[in-house]
C-alpha cells in the first residue's frame, strides 16, 4: 500500500497505529493529514519543534483575482502551514531552505467573466528560479462551463535558495479564490 514512499516516510508510518493510517481531508479536499497516535519519534519528522524540521507549506488564495496581469506572480496569501518559514505569502514565493527533493503541488481555479476572461485557455506557469518548469491550462467558457481548474503535482530537485512560484501568462484573467480552491503547497521529501 505504501511501497511508493521513501524509506524515511515508511518509517513514520511504521511507528503509527493502524487507526492513524486513515487519511482524511482537512479544510481543502487536497490537503491530507495523518492524525494522532503516532509515536513521538514519528511525529518529530514533520514537527516544527524538531531541531531539523522538514520544510513544508500550504498557502491558499483567500480572495478572487479579478484581472491578472501578464507575468503576475499569484500571491497565495492565506498561509495555513509554513514549517521552516520558507514560503512568503507577500511575494508568493517558496525559497528552499535546504537542498533536497521536494513535492510541489498547485491548483488554479478560473472563472468566466466577460470582462476578465475571453472564453479561451488561461495559462499559468509553475516556475523554478524564474524559468518555466510546468504549465497549467484553465479553460473557462460561458457556453459550456463557468469554472474550470487545473492542477499539477510534481517533484523538484531544489538547491538551497532555489525559488518556486506560480505566474499568470496572460492579462485580464479571473482567478477564483474566495471558495478556498486555489492553492500552492510543497514539502521536502528527502
Amino acid at each position: 500500500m505504501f511501497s511508493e514512499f521513501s524509506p524515511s516516510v515508511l518509517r513514520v508510518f511504521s511507528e503509527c497505529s493502524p487507526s492513524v493510517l486513515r487519511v482524511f481531508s482537512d479544510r481543502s479536499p487536497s490537503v491530507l493529514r495523518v492524525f494522532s497516535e503516532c509515536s513521538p519519534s514519528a511525529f518529530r519528522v514533520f514537527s516544527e519543534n524538531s531541531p531539523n524540521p522538514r520544510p513544508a507549506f500550504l498557502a491558499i488564495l483567500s480572495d478572487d483575482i479579478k484581472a491578472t496581469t501578464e507575468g503576475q506572480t499569484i500571491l497565495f496569501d492565506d498561509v495555513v502551514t509554513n514549517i521552516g518559514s520558507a514560503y512568503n505569502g507577500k511575494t508568493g514565493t517558496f525559497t528552499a531552505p535546504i537542498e533536497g527533493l521536494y513535492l510541489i503541488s498547485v491548483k488554479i481555479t478560473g472563472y468566466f467573466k466577460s470582462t476578465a476572461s475571453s472564453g479561451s485557455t488561461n495559462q499559468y506557469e509553475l516556475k523554478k528560479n524564474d524559468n518555466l518548469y510546468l504549465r497549467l491550462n484553465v479553460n473557462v467558457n460561458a457556453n459550456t462551463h463557468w469554472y474550470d481548474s487545473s492542477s499539477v503535482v510534481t517533484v523538484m530537485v531544489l538547491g538551497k535558495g532555489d525559488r518556486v512560484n506560480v505566474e499568470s501568462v496572460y492579462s485580464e484573467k479571473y482567478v477564483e479564490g474566495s471558495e478556498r480552491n486555489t492553492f500552492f503547497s510543497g514539502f521536502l521529501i528527502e
Side-chain angles (χ1 to χ4, degrees), residues 14 20 32 42 75 108 112 150 164-165 167 171:
S14 71
V20 173
L32 302 178
L75 303 180
I108 299 280
F112 179 83
S150 181
V164 181
N165 66 305
E167 290 183 5
S171 295

Side-chain angles (χ1 to χ4, degrees), residues 9-30:
V9 171
L10 288 174
R11 270 194 308 277
V12 171
F13 286 118
S14 71
E15 295 180 17
C16 296
S17 71
S19 63
V20 173
L21 299 180
R22 291 180 311 221
V23 178
F24 54 93
S25 296
D26 192 8
R27 293 195 289 188
S28 167
S30 300

Side-chain angles (χ1 to χ4, degrees), residues 13-78:
F13 286 118
S14 71
E15 295 180 17
C16 296
S17 71
S19 63
V20 173
L21 299 180
R22 291 180 311 221
V23 178
F24 54 93
S25 296
D26 192 8
R27 293 195 289 188
S28 167
S30 300
V31 181
L32 302 178
R33 295 199 305 178
V34 176
F35 266 65
S36 71
E37 298 184 32
C38 288
S39 71
S41 62
F43 188 72
R44 274 195 306 276
V45 171
F46 297 103
S47 172
E48 289 187 57
N49 298 323
S50 171
N52 298 308
R54 289 179 184 256
F57 73 98
L58 167 63
I60 300 171
L61 184 65
S62 67
D63 201 3
D64 300 343
I65 298 173
K66 297 189 178 7
T68 60
T69 58
E70 182 179 340
Q72 173 185 353
T73 296
I74 306 300
L75 303 180
F76 300 88
D77 58 323
D78 183 0

Side-chain angles (χ1 to χ4, degrees), residues 51-161:
N52 298 308
R54 289 179 184 256
F57 73 98
L58 167 63
I60 300 171
L61 184 65
S62 67
D63 201 3
D64 300 343
I65 298 173
K66 297 189 178 7
T68 60
T69 58
E70 182 179 340
Q72 173 185 353
T73 296
I74 306 300
L75 303 180
F76 300 88
D77 58 323
D78 183 0
V79 182
V80 177
T81 302
N82 199 7
I83 297 172
S85 302
Y87 177 77
N88 185 328
K90 291 182 172 51
T91 66
T93 302
F94 171 73
T95 304
I98 58 174
E99 181 179 334
L101 180 65
Y102 289 79
L103 182 121
I104 302 290
S105 64
V106 178
K107 180 183 175 212
I108 299 280
T109 302
Y111 175 72
F112 179 83
K113 185 177 178 190
S114 60
T115 60
S117 295
S118 64
S120 62
T121 299
N122 305 346
Q123 290 186 350
Y124 302 90
E125 294 179 342
L126 176 62
K127 295 212 164 176
K128 175 183 173 184
N129 297 327
D130 300 320
N131 296 306
L132 174 64
Y133 194 80
L134 290 172
R135 184 165 284 138
L136 295 95
N137 295 309
V138 179
N139 183 14
V140 292
N141 185 320
N143 295 324
T144 57
H145 55 281
W146 287 75
Y147 289 94
D148 191 27
S149 64
S150 181
S151 59
V152 64
V153 177
T154 188
V155 292
M156 285 184 171
V157 174
L158 298 176
K160 182 176 181 176

